[in-house]
């Protein structure tokens, strides 16, 4: 698994971890966060919707691809999910 936080203007933090076919992460002090995905040879596109828990964490089963969190123009570091 990988933990890749992305600092947003020194205020917000996005973290995304891949383990098997599951993504987990947290979204702290950031609004309007989306998940993006890219399959090999493709471009970044909208991924599955995030369902944030009250503590601003999430867990999501996904298909093999690369994933990253995005908030406007700010993009988190991508993680790979393989079969």
């Amino acid at each position: 698994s990988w933990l890749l936080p992305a600092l947003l203007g020194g205020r917000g933090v996005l973290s995304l971890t891949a383990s098997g076919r599951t993504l987990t992460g947290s979204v702290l002090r950031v609004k309007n966060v989306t998940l993006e995905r890219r399959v090999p040879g493709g471009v970044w596109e909208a991924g599955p919707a995030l369902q944030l828990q009250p503590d601003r964490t999430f867990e999501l089963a996904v298909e093999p691809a690369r994933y990253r969190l995005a908030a406007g123009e700010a993009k988190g570091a991508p993680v790979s999910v393989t079969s």
Side-chain angles (χ1 to χ4, degrees):
S1 68
W2 300 91
L3 177 64
L4 301 167
L7 296 176
L8 302 169
R11 296 171 294 172
V13 177
L14 303 176
S15 70
L16 183 62
T17 304
S19 178
R21 287 190 168 191
T22 301
L23 294 178
T24 57
S26 61
V27 177
L28 305 174
R29 297 178 302 278
V30 182
K31 295 182 180 181
N32 302 318
V33 175
T34 60
L35 183 64
E36 297 179 341
R37 70 186 290 261
R38 185 177 72 176
V39 296
V43 297
W44 287 104
E45 60 187 17
L50 293 177
Q51 300 286 327
L52 295 178
Q53 300 300 312
D55 65 355
R56 308 281 294 164
T57 62
F58 64 90
E59 181 174 301
L60 184 65
V62 294
E63 295 297 319
R66 290 178 56 83
Y67 293 89
R68 68 182 180 189
L69 294 171
E73 295 298 314
K75 311 294 184 192
V79 297
S80 294
V81 174
T82 58
S83 51

